[in-house]
């Protein structure tokens, strides 16, 4: 399998064969969503009232002007464009998420709304007959979005279903406000504020003396984490901790001739990424950081007795003053060994 | 050599790009007229633009540490927040320019759902510390030399992330490109050692850096009915610039003659990876996803190579709305291949040395969890996690076990006993079989409680506390001379984290939040210090300093006020005060314990940050803003880091 995968086969297969197969077999057969086993109870929660009919977006909005503010941004989004059949896109309308609306607008006419408006009365539809989206359990809320996003190819959701957010009852609604922005996405500069709503203890770490510039708005939570899940722990964007860190610290990528055993494979052995009281985001200050695993240099004199204060300072201040290539080195040290000093 | 690699890299980018564009272009060409034809009937959205311009006054006293990520020069400042949606086109631009080294820009363009482009650019300035040697040497044994006394160090980092996605019309087939470019330039402090134990010569000098990293991902993605499939090819290259090797004169040693040798090399590296992702429909009772990935990394300076092979399987099963099961499997093979010998080329001499094999490894992780909701107000999540790490060539490293197993059991409960009370509790137990490094425990216990309470609508209270206890009964040290493993020490650690926060709605126009966070980490460990075999010149077994306590501690207090005195005026004020402290107390039983061990490990820093922001709408479409920021950094151990920075920004905003 390894040899098979290592070869160029997949390259060719993906770039040419898949599009070719799609075009030959006809697209319509492939477009539909085919779940392995339907989850009927959740599906019942998100279909809405059985005694209501679909009336279309035009009817939902024709009489009522309360949605103008919501529509402003929504119209600018891909999904907003999908409200119109003429867009040529897969159709999405109000009722795709809110359920059939005939009962909600029963008895409402443009005339009635206009008359009420003249009297200063705001006419509301009977929204209780629509799906109560906020009261749905998190998996059902997500299913509202996923029922379309599973039929279209989507990029970030590969590991969503078993991700730590999904397991802990976080739904799409917690981060995405569908009616709010043109791309329905969270802007990078706003991610910290969003994440800190739940991760308050992490927010505190960013106020410690050594921290990544997240509060300054120059590093974003999403630079390291993929909130939609991934194959690595802690929702990391890359496969490993080191692969995540070397995105911005590429000089430490390696591999090196002289490695720091396999310590450097996990940067968090020595660093804490959000913030630390110690310089360079270290979990502990030097020399204690290093003395946790290594025997310190000799502290007595060859003749017996205590070494001088100067020797103590030289050996027990900052280990990285001498072992300056602590993340790995390609040149042997003074001793000819890989002491990471040269 | 570098040029040919660069050409090869560019050629590959272009080839793949051509293949990608060639595949999708016909589909796009087919779809374009349709969108244009329907422009008139598409819904439209009014364009919106906000632009601000102003001036930023910066006043710095003493160390730049007070503004670690700020370019501390007064400058003009500007920003824009705009979007326009003449459908099917959509544009957005959001950015701020604080000065030439402090920039944020987020640009997007989309055409229908056929083309999606996004570019996020960041430029940040980082002030770095100049660490002085505060020690007196004893020539000729110990020398400290700072070749650039008083130099100020800083880097400018540029980070650009570009993404381009093309979709086939009326069919879920995508082709995409991602590119991350990171550049770091400026000056850093390079510290290194010349000489050996008999002639310690510590050097500090300025090193100019000019690094570039490019990482490109090309991929295709499609939905084929029951399966979605995605294939990506990644390649990245790190160019360390021109100053990637330093040269200095090294005195003679037992293993080599005196000569000028290279040191502190920053190697050029490159990597490639292929990844295949498959997953079933997200909406089924059973949802599965598989990821296969192989990667190759190469160090072009030394020839060291690393190959990885990774697999991931995720399965979720929802037998009933109140019960869900999740299973995960991860596999990772890491094969490190470093050369058996390394050559050190001096100006006049060339030496060859044997190299210890790096540690290759194989890791397997299984995890199982369930989410059970027996009643609507309670969710229980039990989880089990097993990790097996097998190391190859670990014998040469003496102290590392051939394998490490980690078993973890975690129980999480969410409950909402009252509408105004939420409560979360977590218990996490870990057991390590054959822990490798001393920082890994034999066992770990963690508990965490978190609650949110709204006693009255105007008050919100948050309390969060976690406690982690780790125990390691047999820590191990490798003694160099005699070459033996010293076994039997002990290590315990305890981490406490508390966060309390109270928010008050003082009036419909004013809110106040006060919070206090207390984090404390404490380690008690037997340390080992090297020892001469007095009165000889050989080494001896090390001194063991039992139960040395080490602590990290921080207290953070924050107060935040939001106030809207008039409809056209908003005020926000935040003040935070953080006190960080720490100490290390080596035992007094060992008279040889160096005095510096305590003094160099002490920490006491206080930071106070005050931020006030006032905006006032002058008339429709015009707004004036004033922002004041002060940051006081006070290092009570090292006064050279002390500093205060005041930044005042005046801006005028125009909305269209």
């Amino acid at each position: 399998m390894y040899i098979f995968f290592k070869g160029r086969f997949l390259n060719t297969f993906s770039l040419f064969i898949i599009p070719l197969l799609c075009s030959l077999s006809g697209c319509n057969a492939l477009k539909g969503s085919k779940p392995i086993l339907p989850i009927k109870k959740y599906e019942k929660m998100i279909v809405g009232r059985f005694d209501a009919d679909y009336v279309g977006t035009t009817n939902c909005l024709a009489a009522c002007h309360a949605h103008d503010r919501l529509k402003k941004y929504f119209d600018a989004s891909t999904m907003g464009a999908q409200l119109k059949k003429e867009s040529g896109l897969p159709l999405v309308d109000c009722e795709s998420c809110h359920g059939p609306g005939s009962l909600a607008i029963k008895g409402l006419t443009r005339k009635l709304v206009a008359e009420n408006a003249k009297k200063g009365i705001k006419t509301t539809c009977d929204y209780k007959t629509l799906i109560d989206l906020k009261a749905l359990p998190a998996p059902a809320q997500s299913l509202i979005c996923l029922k379309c996003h599973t039929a279209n190819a989507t990029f970030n959701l590969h590991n969503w279903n078993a991700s730590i957010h999904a397991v802990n009852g976080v739904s799409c609604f917690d981060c995405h406000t569908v009616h709010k922005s043109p791309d329905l996405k969270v802007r990078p500069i706003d991610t910290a504020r969003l994440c800190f709503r739940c991760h308050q203890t992490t927010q505190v770490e960013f106020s410690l003396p050594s921290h990544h510039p997240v509060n300054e708005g120059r590093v974003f939570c999403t630079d390291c984490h993929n909130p939609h899940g991934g194959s690595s722990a802690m929702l990391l964007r890359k496969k490993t901790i080191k692969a995540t860190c070397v995105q911005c610290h590429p000089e430490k990528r390696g591999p090196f001739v002289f490695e720091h055993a396999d310590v450097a494979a996990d940067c968090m052995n020595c660093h804490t990424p959000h913030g630390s009281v110690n310089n360079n985001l270290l979990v502990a200050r030097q020399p204690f950081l290093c003395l946790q695993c290594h025997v310190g240099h000799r502290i007595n004199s060859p003749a017996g007795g205590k070494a001088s204060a100067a020797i103590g300072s030289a050996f027990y201040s900052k280990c990285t003053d001498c072992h300056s290539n602590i993340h790995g080195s390609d040149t042997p040290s003074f001793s000819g060994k890989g002491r990471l000093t040269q | 050599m570098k040029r040919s690699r660069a050409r090869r890299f560019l050629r590959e980018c272009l080839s793949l790009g051509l293949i990608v564009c060639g595949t999708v272009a016909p589909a796009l060409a087919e779809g374009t007229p349709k969108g244009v034809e329907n422009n008139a009937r598409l819904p439209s959205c009014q364009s919106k633009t906000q632009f601000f311009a102003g001036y930023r006054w910066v006043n710095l006293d003493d160390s730049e540490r007070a503004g670690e990520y700020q370019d501390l020069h007064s400058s003009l400042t500007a920003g824009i927040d705009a979007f326009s949606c003449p459908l099917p086109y959509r544009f957005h631009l959001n950015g701020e320019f604080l000065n030439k080294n402090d920039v944020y820009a987020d640009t997007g363009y989309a055409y229908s759902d056929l083309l999606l482009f996004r570019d996020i650019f960041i430029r940040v300035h980082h002030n770095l510390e100049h660490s002085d040697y505060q020690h007196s040497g004893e020539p000729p044994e110990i020398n400290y030399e700072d070749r650039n006394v008083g130099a100020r160090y800083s880097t400018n980092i540029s980070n650009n992330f570009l993404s381009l996605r093309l979709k086939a019309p009326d069919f879920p087939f995508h082709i995409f490109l991602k590119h991350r470019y990171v550049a770091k330039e400026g000056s850093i402090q390079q510290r290194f050692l010349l000489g050996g134990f008999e002639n310690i010569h510590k050097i500090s000098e300025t090193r100019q850096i000019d690094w570039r990293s490019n990482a490109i991902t090309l991929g295709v993605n499609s939905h084929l009915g029951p399966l979605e499939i995605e294939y990506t090819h990644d390649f990245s290259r790190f160019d360390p610039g021109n100053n990637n090797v330093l040269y200095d004169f090294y005195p003679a040693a037992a293993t080599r003659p005196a000569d000028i040798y290279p040191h502190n090399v920053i190697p050029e590296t490159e990597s490639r990876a292929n990844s295949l992702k498959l997953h079933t429909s997200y909406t089924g009772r059973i949802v599965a996803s598989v990821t296969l990935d192989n990667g190759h990394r190469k160090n072009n300076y030394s020839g060291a190579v690393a190959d990885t092979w990774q697999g991931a399987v995720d399965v979720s099963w929802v037998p009933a709305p109140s019960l869900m099961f999740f299973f995960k499997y991860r596999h990772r093979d890491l094969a490190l291949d470093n050369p058996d010998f390394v050559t050190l080329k001096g100006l006049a001499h060339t030496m060859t040395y044997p190299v210890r094999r790096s540690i290759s490894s194989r890791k397997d992780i299984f995890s199982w969890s369930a989410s059970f909701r027996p009643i609507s107000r309670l969710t229980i999540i039990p989880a089990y996690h097993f990790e097996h790490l097998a190391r190859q060539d670990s014998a040469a490293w003496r102290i590392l076990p051939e394998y490490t197993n980690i078993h973890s059991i975690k129980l999480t409960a969410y409950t909402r006993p009252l509408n105004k009370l939420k409560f979360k509790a977590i218990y996490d137990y870990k057991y390590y079989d054959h822990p490798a490094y001393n920082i890994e425990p034999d066992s770990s216990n963690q508990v965490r409680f978190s609650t949110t309470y709204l006693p009255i609508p105007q008050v919100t209270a948050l309390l969060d506390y976690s406690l982690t206890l780790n125990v390691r009964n047999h820590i191990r040290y490798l003694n160099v001379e005699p070459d033996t493993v010293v076994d039997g020490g002990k290590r315990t650690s305890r981490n406490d984290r508390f966060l309390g926060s109270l928010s008050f709605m003082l009036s419909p126009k004013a809110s106040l939040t006060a919070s206090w966070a207390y984090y404390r980490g404490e380690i008690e460990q037997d340390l080992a210090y090297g020892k001469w075999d007095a009165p000889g010149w050989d080494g001896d077994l090390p001194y063991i300093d039992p139960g040395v306590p080490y602590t990290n501690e921080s207290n953070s207090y924050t107060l935040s006020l939001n106030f809207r005195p008039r409809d056209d005026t908003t005020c926000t004020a935040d003040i935070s005060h953080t006190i960080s402290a720490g100490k290390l107390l080596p035992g007094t039983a060992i008279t040889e314990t160096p005095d510096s061990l305590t003094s160099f490990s002490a920490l006491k820093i206080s930071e106070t940050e005050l931020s006030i922001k006032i905006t006032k709408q002058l008339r429709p479409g015009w707004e004036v803003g004033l922002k004041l920021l002060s940051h006081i950094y006070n290092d009570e151990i090292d006064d050279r880091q002390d500093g205060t920075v005041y930044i005042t920004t005046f801006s005028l905003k125009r909305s269209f």
Side-chain angles (χ1 to χ4, degrees), chain A residues 87-124:
Chain A
S87 71
L89 306 175
L91 276 178
V92 171
D93 63 20
C94 306
E95 293 165 304
S96 302
C97 303
H98 295 281
S102 65
L103 297 176
I105 61 165
K106 196 174 178 182
L108 291 186
T109 61
R110 285 177 187 271
K111 193 179 169 187
L112 176 67
V113 173
E115 283 172 4
N116 284 346
K118 279 181 190 169
K119 295 173 195 168
I121 302 169
K122 188 179 165 187
T123 312
T124 57

Side-chain angles (χ1 to χ4, degrees), chain B residues 487-638:
Chain B
D487 214 338
K490 189 175 179 183
R491 172 187 164 98
T492 58
S493 72
R494 175 189 170 120
N495 268 288
D496 291 87
R497 288 182 155 215
F498 171 81
L499 171 66
S501 169
L502 271 175
S503 295
F504 305 92
M505 281 294 292
L506 302 174
S507 77
K509 292 183 175 180
S511 68
L512 179 73
T513 301
S515 64
W516 171 48
Y518 172 70
Y519 290 1
R520 187 171 198 278
E522 182 182 302
I523 300 168
E524 199 170 289
Q525 178 175 342
D526 297 354
L527 297 183
Y529 315 123
K531 186 180 177 185
W532 291 101
D533 181 17
W537 284 89
D538 295 327
D540 199 352
L541 290 175
Y543 293 105
I544 299 294
D545 192 355
V548 176
Y550 169 90
T551 55
N552 283 337
E553 190 176 286
S554 74
N555 277 283
S556 293
Y557 309 90
T558 59
L559 199 61
S560 179
L561 173 72
N562 284 287
F563 181 43
R564 198 178 173 90
R566 292 157 48 107
D567 287 345
D568 59 356
T569 308
T570 58
C571 306
T572 56
D574 299 280
I575 184 163
S576 68
H577 182 64
T578 303
I579 303 165
S580 307
K583 55 191 174 187
L584 172 67
L585 298 172
T588 52
I590 298 168
T591 52
E592 287 80 3
T593 302
D595 301 330
S596 54
L597 192 55
T598 303
S599 59
F600 286 121
S601 299
L603 171 84
K604 189 154 190 187
I605 297 168
S606 68
E607 285 184 278
T608 306
E609 186 169 288
L610 172 68
S611 164
I612 298 172
K613 190 178 176 184
I614 301 167
T615 62
K616 177 167 173 36
Q617 197 173 358
L618 298 175
R619 57 180 182 171
W622 290 92
E623 188 180 274
V624 64
L626 183 67
K627 189 175 176 184
L628 309 168
L629 175 79
S630 85
H631 191 114
I632 303 166
Y633 187 95
N634 180 18
D635 188 332
E636 293 183 20
I637 305 291
D638 182 2

Side-chain angles (χ1 to χ4, degrees), chain A residues 15, chain B residues 15-25 166 175-177 218-220:
Chain A
L15 288 174
Chain B
S15 314
L16 279 166
L18 284 172
I19 293 168
V20 165
C21 293
T23 313
V24 81
L166 302 171
I175 198 152
F176 59 92
L177 163 78
L218 281 169
V220 289

Side-chain angles (χ1 to χ4, degrees), chain A residues 209-266:
Chain A
S210 178
H211 60 269
H212 274 120
V214 168
N215 290 336
E216 289 81 355
R218 295 298 176 259
V219 166
F220 314 120
C221 305
T222 48
D223 284 339
C224 302
H225 301 282
N226 180 355
H228 300 106
S231 58
S232 47
M234 296 170 285
L235 296 178
L236 287 179
R237 190 162 283 285
K238 293 289 179 180
K239 301 279 184 315
T240 61
I241 291 168
K242 182 168 182 176
T244 305
C245 300
V246 300
Q247 286 184 109
C248 297
H249 302 280
E251 75 279 10
K252 297 177 177 71
R253 179 187 288 144
F256 299 100
V257 171
F258 299 105
E259 294 277 353
H260 190 167
D262 58 354
V263 172
D266 182 351

Side-chain angles (χ1 to χ4, degrees), chain B residues 110-139:
Chain B
Y111 172 76
S112 185
D113 67 343
L114 301 177
L115 188 153
L116 197 61
F117 167 82
R118 188 102 183 246
D119 188 83
I120 297 162
F121 175 75
I122 302 292
R123 189 165 166 87
V124 62
H125 182 81
H126 191 188
N127 293 309
L128 301 169
E129 182 187 351
H130 185 145
S131 176
D132 289 335
Y133 298 121
Q134 291 181 298
H135 330 307
S136 56
E138 290 179 348

